[in-house]
Amino acid sequence: MIRELRKLFNITGMLRRFIILTLLRCPFDALYTAVQALFLKHAFDAVNNAQTSSLFITCILFGVGNIILFLYNGTVWTVYTAFVTNWTAVLRRKLFRHIGSLSLRQIEMRTVGEWITRLNSDLHAATAMLNQPIHIPHAVVSLVNAVVSSVILASADMMMFSLVILFAVPHMLISRLIVAKPMTRLATDVQEAAAENASDMNAIIVCAAEALIYDAQSFLLRRFEESSLNIRRKSMRLQHRRALVNSLIPLMGMSGYLAALLVGGSRIAGGAMAFGSLTAVLQSRGRMLVSLMMFINSMINIKTALAGVRRVCDTMDIRPEDRDVA
Amino acid sequence: MGIRVENLRYAYGSKLVLRDISLFVNAGEYIGIVGVSGCGKSTLLKLLAGLYQTQSGVVEVHGACRPEEIRKNVAMVMQNTVLFPASIKENITCGHPMSEEVIWQACKAAQLTEWITSLADGIDTFVGEQGGKVSGGQAQRIAIARAIARNAPVILLDEATSALDGDTGSAVLAALDSLTRGRTVVSVSHRHETLANCSRIYKLEDGRLHSL
């Protein structure tokens, strides 16, 4: 995955700027998690101890902290969006120019549908890694956030942290091995089916005169329908895998939550834990799991988009024949 | 039945390309139309094929006047043959039910049998997108086989013999001979010498048809 991304950034440049902007985006979620956990802990402690002034100060500080965080986040996202728009334009321009520099023989080696797919959906998939939600930026952010949440949870209550990890790790492993791993291959199958479908669509236009004279429109439409169904079949395989991750959420998430609640409840009853601490622990657990879910989904999306990245890189790797002669 | 064209006018927007064309072709007759590039030959042929709707005048082909009816009576072969991205067989049948005997007879008449039997997948060989996996001569002979299998009474040839050379050229000519024998044929070309077989030759100039 790293190799493909490096190749993609070799085409466009601007890797350093991307890393800096992505890292600048990271502190928001982590700090937001920490602020929320602190707020809940102090707010509930104040409520427990009936300290109105302490609750008022906690609320004021939480409000100010939120304003600062959102201003920071908005600024970073604005700069990042401008960067990604520029990056996408550079990649698109370079791909168009490269295809334009190929010889007719090289162009004719692939079908019209193949070129259309490479210029549209492959390019779209490649740029989606940077400009679509739940892709690289969210993967980095969610990973940092998961680490921060884990540290907060572990420092607050090691036993509860172990309990959460016990339910989170199998979910991560299943998602990684069964869903994320085959995603690139499944997405490549979809892109290839899309290229075939685009060729069949092209034939309806290019062969229009012959189709009219020989009454072959239904024949061409049938072929187009078959290749459209093939895309759907391939896409369904991909979506089935995605659905598997979603089905794991209630299984692992709810059972983990109930276990934490039962253990926490019995510890409160035994006087070993305050209600405010349990609330903060559950909040940290929630943030940690949300981050892990986002990370898993981001990885699945990145693996899917890698099919497009590979095909874009493959196109850029074709050496123009005329340049060789020169 | 043949072909009857009377007072045919056709324009692309404000540009008039065919002016008061009148043409009568008897059944079984082979006529030629010559003219420089862009003079309207292909437009006239598309009107005769029922690909375009007439704007003014009459086009009657084998007794049919409506484009969809005209198309049932014609087969067309062009210089730049466009094949469907399908197998040789599907290019000949165009997806219609057809007996193996008819298909192979068409292949034989189009001088394709020897080449097809030498292919690993035979008649089921995929010709590629726009015939990209076969040579120009082979693509043209597949198009001729398609026209033969169609068994239409009227054959329209658009520069069908303009770019022939060597062995491929003679094979295509032999195939065309099989296709056109006993049928009503209109052949258009920008070269006079490629219309040697025609009983009558017309010249299309300034949108008008002149007998030569």
Side-chain angles (χ1 to χ4, degrees), chain A residues 108-114 195-196 198-200 202-204 206-220 222-223, chain B residues 46 49-51 71-72 74-78 80-87 90-91 93-96 126 129-130 143 146-147 150:
Chain A
E108 284 179 347
M109 277 168 73
R110 290 191 166 93
T111 62
V112 172
E114 187 68 41
E196 197 184 318
S199 282
D200 286 337
N202 180 60
I204 293 170
V206 174
C207 308
E210 283 75 9
L212 272 169
I213 290 174
Y214 293 101
D215 193 21
Q217 294 108 314
S218 56
F219 167 65
L220 292 179
R222 209 162 47 238
R223 287 181 66 88
Chain B
K46 281 172 180 164
L51 289 173
R71 289 200 292 268
K72 288 177 182 166
V74 300
M76 195 170 179
V77 177
M78 290 172 258
N80 297 319
T81 305
V82 178
L83 295 179
F84 304 129
S87 67
E90 287 170 316
N91 265 285
T93 64
C94 297
H96 300 299
F126 182 65
E129 199 172 36
Q130 295 170 47
R146 175 161 69 192
R150 165 88 165 190

Side-chain angles (χ1 to χ4, degrees), chain A residues 68-211:
Chain A
I68 293 168
L69 279 176
F70 280 105
L71 279 175
Y72 172 80
N73 194 39
T75 310
V76 172
W77 266 126
T78 306
V79 178
Y80 182 82
T81 306
F83 160 77
V84 168
T85 306
N86 184 30
W87 181 86
T88 305
V90 169
L91 182 64
R92 194 172 280 273
R93 197 164 52 236
K94 289 203 171 179
L95 188 68
F96 269 81
R97 280 185 185 161
H98 187 75
I99 291 173
S101 72
L102 299 177
S103 69
L104 184 62
R105 194 190 71 84
Q106 288 173 310
I107 296 279
E108 284 179 347
M109 277 168 73
R110 290 191 166 93
T111 62
V112 172
E114 187 68 41
W115 289 118
I116 290 172
T117 309
R118 278 168 194 251
L119 281 167
N120 286 313
S121 53
D122 287 343
L123 195 67
H124 179 76
T127 55
M129 292 178 92
L130 268 71
N131 65 12
Q132 293 295 308
I134 325 293
H135 274 279
I136 293 178
H138 288 89
V140 177
V141 166
S142 59
L143 190 65
V144 171
N145 200 29
V147 170
V148 170
S149 303
S150 302
V151 170
I152 291 172
L153 188 59
S155 59
D157 196 318
M158 198 51 162
M159 190 188 164
M160 293 298 259
F161 173 71
S162 308
L163 198 66
V164 171
I165 288 292
L166 203 67
F167 284 89
V169 168
H171 191 170
M172 289 278 289
L173 282 176
I174 293 170
S175 304
R176 165 87 187 97
L177 295 174
I178 297 176
V179 184
K181 207 174 174 186
M183 237 2 144
T184 310
R185 180 178 51 78
L186 291 171
T188 305
D189 288 348
V190 173
Q191 297 295 72
E192 283 170 1
E196 197 184 318
N197 183 246
S199 282
D200 286 337
M201 189 170 22
N202 180 60
I204 293 170
I205 310 298
V206 174
C207 308
E210 283 75 9

